Amino acid sequence: MSHQFQYDSDEHGTVAVKVRPDSADKINRCLQLQRVAADAEFPCARPLSRADLLEPGLVVGAETWLPGGEMYSGGEVSFADRSAKLLADLIGILETQSPTRLGAPPPWMHWNPPTGGLWPTNPVVDAMDQDLVPGHVHAIARAVSERLAQGVLPLVVGHGDWESQNLRWQGDRPWAVHDWDSLVALPEAAIVGAASGAFASTAVPTLATIESSEKFINTYQQSRGRRFTEEEREVAWVASLWPALHNARGESLFQSPPVALDALTWQAPERLQRAGVR
């Protein structure tokens, strides 16, 4: 999570100063890639500095201030088209960039942590009563992670938190994409699949409808000008479940309303079937 402050500069106008807990190496790599996107006129703030170490585990940097725009919260299927096209534009811009130095994905995209455990390590969450998490959530997570571990697809750079809450629009025109700390190095189909499940989430994360996810995946392929292979289609569908699994686990542990959990429970069988998981 980053903390952002406004600052008036004679040279750059109003800038945003961001303080965030992470490594300077990873954040500087994210800033390099964000600058590539900005140079290609993708709708995002332009980094104005490197990230410098403020104190151990905390880095600070600056970028142009890009407020405004509206978060879309309308019909999922119609928004799937717009959101998928925008993601396709971004991955097209970054496709020549090396997927290095981005480190581990955020937990909602981290289906096979190096510890060998089912979930990425989080001391606070791991210390909670895991019996609060329904057994079928663990079972689905295990099936998803095992299927994704079989993949040998090449890595690309993409946005790992492609939710409506991180996008801003002016009418139908994209205005700003935020949260560039969540760039990931993963197979393209996995990035697209995870986005297809999470793209409609606003303040409360959920799982998009199967119809909306299908529209998202299809529109993305059309925008990129190529069809996914059978392997890529299966990876996309199985990856669509992981953000919802992460959120369903969190809902259960913190005893929040089961928004993602209910959607996951109803949709998982069909999504797994589309992924070739029996």
Side-chain angles (χ1 to χ4, degrees):
M1 177 183 295
S2 65
H3 299 280
Q4 182 167 286
F5 308 93
Q6 287 180 258
Y7 177 75
D8 290 326
S9 162
D10 291 338
E11 181 181 358
H12 299 290
T14 302
V15 305
V17 177
K18 286 189 170 183
V19 178
R20 43 206 158 185
D22 217 318
S23 74
D25 186 61
K26 176 194 170 181
I27 295 301
N28 277 316
R29 182 59 178 147
C30 289
L31 292 173
Q32 288 174 354
L33 295 165
Q34 183 180 350
R35 191 173 292 109
V36 169
D39 287 345
E41 299 185 352
F42 189 79
C44 64
R46 179 181 298 278
L48 300 174
S49 72
R50 286 177 51 82
D52 292 320
L53 192 65
L54 190 62
E55 60 182 60
L58 205 62
V59 296
V60 60
E63 63 182 36
T64 56
W65 178 247
L66 189 57
E70 297 181 351
M71 178 174 62
Y72 187 86
S73 58
E76 283 187 14
V77 175
S78 60
F79 183 51
D81 193 65
R82 263 199 279 166
S83 184
K85 287 178 180 176
L86 187 59
L87 180 61
D89 288 345
L90 176 60
I91 291 183
I93 289 168
L94 299 179
E95 65 183 346
T96 61
Q97 302 299 310
S98 173
T100 59
R101 295 170 42 215
L102 287 172
W108 55 88
M109 296 281 282
H110 203 177
W111 36 76
N112 278 301
T115 59
L118 184 57
W119 308 98
T121 301
N122 183 321
V124 174
V125 172
D126 295 342
M128 301 177 75
D129 181 5
Q130 302 301 309
D131 288 340
L132 292 171
V133 182
H136 71 279
V137 172
H138 292 298
I140 297 167
R142 193 167 294 108
V144 169
S145 62
E146 288 176 356
R147 175 62 185 85
L148 287 167
Q150 300 169 12
V152 292
L153 298 172
L155 304 183
V156 303
V157 176
H159 197 294
D161 198 11
W162 199 257
E163 295 185 338
S164 180
Q165 64 174 329
N166 288 324
L167 312 180
R168 294 294 182 271
W169 305 81
Q170 289 190 337
D172 291 340
R173 184 170 68 91
W175 173 250
V177 173
H178 299 298
D179 194 14
W180 289 81
D181 298 1
S182 292
L183 290 178
V184 294
L186 289 169
E188 181 179 9
I191 295 171
V192 175
S196 79
F199 78 93
S201 294
T202 51
V204 178
T206 185
L207 177 61
T209 65
I210 290 174
E211 180 187 12
S212 297
S213 291
E214 183 175 42
K215 178 67 173 175
F216 190 103
I217 294 169
N218 289 340
T219 297
Y220 179 88
Q221 294 173 80
Q222 293 165 7
S223 297
R224 292 283 282 143
R226 74 172 187 90
R227 293 189 61 80
F228 281 169
T229 64
E230 181 179 355
E231 168 72 6
E232 287 176 308
R233 286 193 296 274
E234 291 186 356
V235 165
W237 278 106
V238 76
S240 74
L241 285 162
W242 193 265
L245 283 161
H246 167 82
N247 292 324
R249 182 190 183 215
E251 288 172 352
S252 301
L253 291 174
F254 289 96
Q255 300 183 55
S256 303
V259 178
L261 176 60
D262 285 350
L264 174 73
T265 301
W266 283 105
Q267 295 185 34
E270 183 170 347
R271 288 179 182 268
L272 290 172
Q273 183 178 27
R274 292 184 181 218
V277 178
R278 301 292 183 262

